[in-house]
Amino acid sequence: MTNTAPTILARARAEQRHTLTEAEGLQILAEAGVRVPQQVLLDGPAALRAEHLPPGTKVVVKVVAHDILHKTELGGVKIVDNRLEAVAEVLADMHARLAPHYAVSGYSLNECIEYERAFGHEFLVGLRWTEDFGATLSLACGGVAAEYLAGQLRPGHELSVFSPELTAEFDLASNAVAQFATQPWRQQPALLPEASLRALLDKLLTLARQRMPAELIEIEINPLVISRAGELIALDSVVRLPERPYLTEPPQRPLHKLAKLLAPASMAVMGVSEKGGPGRTILQNILAQGFDPAALTVIKPGLATLDGVACVADVSALPAPVDLLVLIVPAAQVPAVLGEVITQGKAQAVIVIPGGLEEKAGTEQLVARMQQALLAARASPDQGPLINGGNCLGVRSLPGRFNTLFIPGEKLPFSAGPESPLALISQSGAFAITRLNQFHHVNPRYCITLGNQSDLTVGDYLSQLQHDPAIEVFAVYVEGFKELDGLKFLRAARAITASGRKVILYRAGRTQEGAQASSSHTASIAGNAAVTRELARGCGVMLAETITDFEALIGLHLALGRRALRGRRLAAVSNAGFECVSMADNLGPFQLAHFSAATEARLKQVFASERLTELVDVGNPLDLTPMCGDAGYEAVIAGVLADPGVDLALVGVVPLTPALKTLGAAALEPDAIATRWIRLLQGQPKPCIAVIDGGSIYDELARLLEAGGVPTFRRADRALRALRLSV
C-alpha cells in the first residue's frame, strides 16, 4: 500500500473513472487512520508467488475492478485455505469468469479477519455528500442482512447520522447496533469500548472535511467489523467520485432585503381584475390587513384608481421603486415582468403567485429566462430583488400589515386576538392555510408560503427570522430542500433551539411515492428522509410524523411558551379510571413521579374537603373519580405542581360529570374549572397539559382553556404522543 490518496484520486480522474476499486478505497481509509486488512495486489493470476500469501490459515481472494461494486454476488470474493495451490486455483477461476466482462485490473490477497457474523459485530458506515445537507456520516447495522435488520428496528434506532458541520459530539444513545456493541449485556462485557467507535467516526468526519465534495462524494464501508481481538476493521469499501462540481456553501442572496418583503413601506400589485379573481382578492386582503392605501399601487392600464388605490399603466410607470411587488400575472408573463423590474430597479422584493413555471413540462425556457435575469442582477451592486415563489399562495405578515394570500377573508378568517408568537413557513400554500384554519385562537406573526423556492428558500427565512425575538415557535413544512439549503436550515434551527425556542418540522416526501408526489407539486427533489430526521433531531428540531402531530406540536408549544419540558417525571391526574390507565399505558419516555410526603398530606386534605377520602387514595396516576368538583381539581393541580419531584402534569377532565362546571355560561364563571385552571397557571413555570375527553358540546370548554394558555388535547394518548415528540 504505497500509493497515497492524492495519487489514487489523480489516477482515477485521469482514467475518467467515477468509482474506485475496493483496494483503492481501503488505501484511502488506511491513510485516514482506519484499520484495514493486510493486502497484496496482483496484476493477474500469473503474478502469484508464495511470499504474497498473508499470515493466517485462511486468505480472502478478491477481484479488483472499479465497475464491480458488489463482488460477492458475482463470485468475486472467496475465502480459501492459505495454500499456494488453493489460491492459484481460485484466481484462475475468477479470471476466467470475470475478466472477459468487467474492467478487471487485478486481484487482491487479503488477511482473513476472524469475527462473529452476528448483530452487534458488523456495522455499515457511510460517508455521503448530499445535495441538501452536504457531507453526512451514517452508522447502521452492517453485514449481508443490513437492510433486513434495519427494517426491523424502530425508526430512530436503526440509524445515526452526523454532519462535519453540525456535530459537536456523537450521540449514540438510541442507535441499537452501537448500544449492543458498546454496552455490557446480561453480565457479559461490552464487545467494544464506546471510545473506540467514537474515535473511528471522528476520523471519518475528518476525512469528509478534507476531501468532500471536490474529490469524494461517497464512501461506504460494509462491513466494518469488531474482530475477535476487539479491533474495528473495515473489510470492504465502495467509493464514488464526483461527476460534476458541487456547492460547498449555500448560495448567497441579499437577505437584508427580506425586511422589505416582510414589512414593506410601499407595495405594488400587478394582475388585478375589476371582475374579481385572485388578484382582486389579494388587493382586498392587503387593504383589510391595514396596509396604507396611499403606499400601495395597482399596476393596471386604463384605470386611475381601483378600490381606492392609485393605478399606473405598467412597471415603468411606477413613480418610485417599491419595497414589495406582488405578481399575479400569467406564468408566461413573469420572466418578462421580472426582467423589467430588475433592469429598472423597481422593487426590492417580489412575490410571484402563479404556478406552472417549474412544475409543468414545457416551461423550461421561461424558467431559464427568469433565472438568467436574476443571476445578472445578483452580480450588480444592488444584487437585485428577492423573489418569493413562484407557485406560492402568498405571505401574511402582521408586522408588515399585509396579506397576499389569495383566499377571501370569509373563507379563511384569522383570529382577531393578539399576535401569536408563531412563524409558519411552508412550501405548500394549501398545507399552511388548512393547518391555520384549525387554530381559531391563533393569529400568527407570519404565514409564509414559498412554492417552488425559485429564489428564497426555507433556510433563508429561518436564518433571518431566528433573530426576531417575538417568534417563539417556528413551524416548517418542506417537501424538498434546495442545494445545501437543508444545511442552512439546520444551522438556523440549532441556534433557535439553543435559545429555548421551538422548531417543528414536517418533512413530506418520505416515501418513494411521497417523493414523486412532492416533486410533481413543487418541482422539488425530496432527499433521504432518515437523514433529514436524524440531522434535524440532533439540532433540537421536533419531527412531526403526521399532519396531526404537526398541529398538536404547534398547539402544545404555543400554549407552553417558555415553560420548557425540563424533565420527564410526570404527575397524571384524571376523574376517570380508564383515562388514568391510558396515561400509564402511553408514558413513552416519561416516568410517573413519586409524590413527597408533604404532597401526599396536602392531597389528603383536599380529599377530605371534597369528601373523597372514602373513595380515593393518593397515587400516580391519581384517580379523582367523577365526584371531584371544581375547587378540588384546582387544589389537586396546585398540589402536584408544587411537588419538587414533579416536572410536568397531565390532567384529564372527563367533562360529563355533574360535579364540574363545563358547559355553557357556567363554564365561564370565576369558580369553574377552566377559569380556575387558567388563573392557576399564570406565572407557573412547570408545564401542565389538559385533556378534555368529551364530545363536540365541550369544544367551547377546550377553546376556553386554549385561549387562556392551557395546552389542551381531546385524548390522553394524543397528548402524550405530542409530549414524546417534544423531548
Side-chain angles (χ1 to χ4, degrees):
M1 295 189 182
T2 56
N3 287 329
T4 64
T7 302
I8 292 169
L9 295 169
R11 182 173 62 229
R13 288 192 296 268
E15 295 172 359
Q16 298 185 326
R17 288 194 275 131
H18 300 298
T19 58
L20 298 184
T21 66
E22 181 201 306
E24 291 171 328
L26 290 177
Q27 289 179 64
I28 296 281
L29 290 171
E31 191 171 301
V34 178
R35 168 82 158 89
V36 302
Q38 295 181 42
Q39 184 180 79
V40 173
L41 299 177
L42 304 175
D43 293 335
L48 177 64
R49 301 289 184 271
E51 60 266 24
H52 295 147
L53 299 180
T57 60
K58 297 286 185 180
V59 61
V60 183
V61 182
K62 297 183 180 182
V63 65
V64 177
H66 69 85
D67 57 347
I68 300 179
L69 299 182
H70 302 288
K71 296 177 291 297
T72 302
E73 289 84 343
L74 294 174
V77 179
K78 295 291 183 182
I79 302 175
V80 299
D81 291 336
N82 196 6
R83 295 181 293 105
L84 190 64
E85 55 274 22
V87 173
E89 182 180 345
V90 168
L91 284 172
D93 173 67
M94 280 189 189
H95 193 70
R97 289 186 297 102
L98 301 176
H101 307 291
Y102 298 95
V104 175
S105 59
Y107 302 88
S108 65
L109 307 183
N110 302 268
E111 171 190 8
C112 186
I113 304 298
E114 295 289 335
Y115 71 97
E116 186 78 24
R117 288 169 172 78
F119 181 79
H121 297 255
E122 300 175 288
F123 298 94
L124 188 155
V125 182
L127 273 180
R128 184 164 63 96
W129 184 266
T130 64
E131 288 203 357
D132 38 10
F133 299 111
T136 62
L137 170 63
S138 59
L139 176 70
C141 179
V144 294
E147 292 183 4
Y148 171 78
L149 290 173
Q152 302 307 305
L153 298 171
R154 286 184 294 161
H157 294 260
E158 86 289 13
L159 177 74
S160 296
V161 182
F162 310 104
S163 161
E165 175 79 24
L166 302 167
T167 300
E169 59 182 35
F170 299 107
D171 181 6
L172 301 173
S174 63
N175 186 294
V177 64
Q179 288 298 296
F180 188 90
T182 62
Q183 303 300 318
W185 297 98
R186 295 188 176 181
Q187 300 181 337
Q188 297 296 313
L191 303 174
L192 180 78
E194 189 171 306
S196 297
L197 182 56
R198 293 178 182 276
L200 180 134
L201 296 175
D202 191 58
K203 290 173 183 176
L204 292 173
L205 282 187
T206 299
L207 178 60
R209 295 185 188 103
Q210 292 173 342
R211 303 203 178 276
M212 286 187 162
E215 297 177 299
L216 302 172
I217 57 168
E218 184 172 13
I219 299 179
E220 181 183 288
I221 306 171
N222 186 24
L224 172 77
V225 304
I226 304 173
S227 72
R228 295 194 190 279
E231 287 185 283
L232 278 172
I233 304 176
L235 298 191
D236 195 358
S237 71
V238 174
V239 180
R240 293 197 302 123
L241 312 183
E243 298 184 34
R244 64 170 179 84
Y246 289 86
L247 293 178
T248 56
E249 278 294 328
Q252 296 301 306
R253 283 175 274 274
L255 293 182
H256 62 279
K257 295 185 179 184
L258 199 57
K260 302 288 188 180
L261 190 155
L262 294 175
S266 57
M267 289 180 64
V269 183
M270 183 175 183
V272 180
S273 171
E274 295 175 83
K275 299 178 181 179
R280 191 69 175 278
T281 297
I282 287 173
L283 176 61
Q284 292 170 350
N285 283 349
I286 291 171
L287 295 171
Q289 196 66 54
F291 196 83
D292 182 2
L296 182 61
T297 304
V298 174
I299 301 174
K300 184 173 182 61
L303 287 181
T305 63
L306 182 61
D307 291 339
V309 178
C311 297
V312 298
D314 51 36
V315 168
S316 62
L318 284 169
V322 295
D323 285 345
L324 177 60
L325 169 64
V326 184
L327 289 183
I328 318 108
V329 299
Q333 298 178 24
V334 169
V337 173
L338 280 179
E340 192 176 2
V341 170
I342 290 168
T343 56
Q344 297 182 25
K346 287 296 188 178
Q348 295 294 299
V350 184
I351 296 176
V352 179
I353 299 293
L357 278 173
E358 293 184 68
E359 61 279 353
K360 186 173 176 59
T363 63
E364 294 82 5
Q365 289 186 344
L366 290 174
V367 173
R369 286 169 53 198
M370 184 175 72
Q371 291 297 340
Q372 286 169 3
L374 190 59
L375 187 62
R378 291 287 184 262
S380 70
D382 179 69
Q383 296 183 276
L386 293 173
I387 298 175
N388 186 91
N391 191 28
C392 76
L393 194 63
V395 174
R396 180 179 184 264
S397 167
L398 292 189
R401 309 178 321 284
F402 74 86
N403 175 10
T404 73
L405 302 174
F406 59 84
I407 306 298
E410 67 272 16
K411 288 277 189 175
L412 182 61
F414 285 92
S415 169
E419 176 184 299
S420 303
L422 170 67
L424 176 59
I425 305 168
S426 175
Q427 274 188 264
S428 166
F431 180 90
I433 61 175
T434 51
R435 302 289 67 75
L436 288 177
N437 199 225
Q438 305 291 327
F439 293 97
H440 303 282
H441 63 290
V442 172
N443 190 16
R445 183 169 175 83
Y446 296 110
C447 175
I448 298 161
T449 72
L450 292 91
N452 293 344
Q453 303 181 93
S454 299
D455 185 36
L456 281 168
T457 63
V458 169
D460 287 336
Y461 275 106
L462 203 68
S463 67
Q464 292 301 109
L465 291 179
Q466 68 171 304
H467 304 296
D468 186 341
I471 305 173
E472 293 286 337
V473 178
F474 299 79
V476 181
Y477 170 89
V478 63
E479 294 171 356
F481 290 107
K482 293 296 184 178
E483 190 167 6
L484 285 190
D485 196 57
L487 178 60
K488 191 171 194 175
F489 166 84
L490 291 177
R491 286 172 177 166
R494 182 175 58 178
I496 290 167
T497 58
S499 72
R501 296 175 293 165
K502 308 299 180 185
V503 179
I504 301 164
L505 175 65
Y506 185 92
R507 176 68 165 85
R510 291 171 292 176
T511 65
Q512 182 177 358
E513 293 77 11
Q516 291 170 349
S518 70
S519 180
S520 65
H521 175 52
T522 60
S524 298
I525 298 173
N528 186 298
V531 170
T532 303
R533 180 194 72 208
E534 292 303 304
L535 289 177
R537 187 171 64 176
C539 291
V541 176
M542 289 176 280
L543 274 296
E545 297 178 11
T546 66
I547 293 174
T548 301
D549 290 343
F550 190 78
E551 294 174 356
L553 287 169
I554 290 174
L556 173 63
H557 290 285
L558 280 178
L560 284 179
R562 287 294 179 107
R563 292 195 294 270
L565 298 170
R566 302 190 186 280
R568 302 186 181 187
R569 298 171 299 177
L570 175 76
V573 179
S574 177
N575 60 348
F578 88 89
E579 194 165 61
C580 289
V581 175
S582 176
M583 291 175 180
D585 280 344
N586 291 279
L587 286 173
F590 296 94
Q591 306 92 38
L592 292 172
H594 296 287
F595 296 142
S596 68
T599 299
E600 289 193 12
R602 182 174 178 174
L603 292 174
K604 287 177 180 179
Q605 289 180 348
V606 176
F607 299 161
S609 65
E610 289 288 305
R611 300 180 180 179
L612 299 175
T613 302
E614 299 299 321
L615 301 174
V616 178
D617 288 324
V618 175
N620 193 11
L622 184 56
D623 183 357
L624 297 179
T625 79
M627 305 304 293
C628 187
D630 304 86
Y633 248 104
E634 179 185 13
V636 167
I637 295 170
V640 297
L641 288 175
D643 192 306
V646 171
D647 298 314
L648 72 159
L650 179 63
V651 180
V653 174
V654 175
L656 291 78
T657 171
L660 295 174
K661 296 180 177 181
T662 54
L663 269 181
L668 300 173
E669 294 176 5
D671 62 344
I673 177 63
T675 48
R676 288 174 180 271
W677 204 333
I678 292 167
R679 284 197 306 267
L680 175 64
L681 291 192
Q682 291 174 356
Q684 168 60 243
K686 293 182 182 179
C688 182
I689 291 87
V691 177
I692 304 299
D693 195 345
S696 59
I697 62 172
Y698 300 103
D699 287 351
E700 286 303 317
L701 174 64
R703 289 174 184 156
L704 177 63
L705 287 167
E706 289 171 346
V710 181
T712 304
F713 291 82
R714 304 307 296 270
R715 302 287 186 274
D717 55 351
R718 290 184 183 176
L720 281 161
R721 178 175 173 81
L723 288 169
R724 288 199 302 272
L725 293 171
S726 301
V727 298

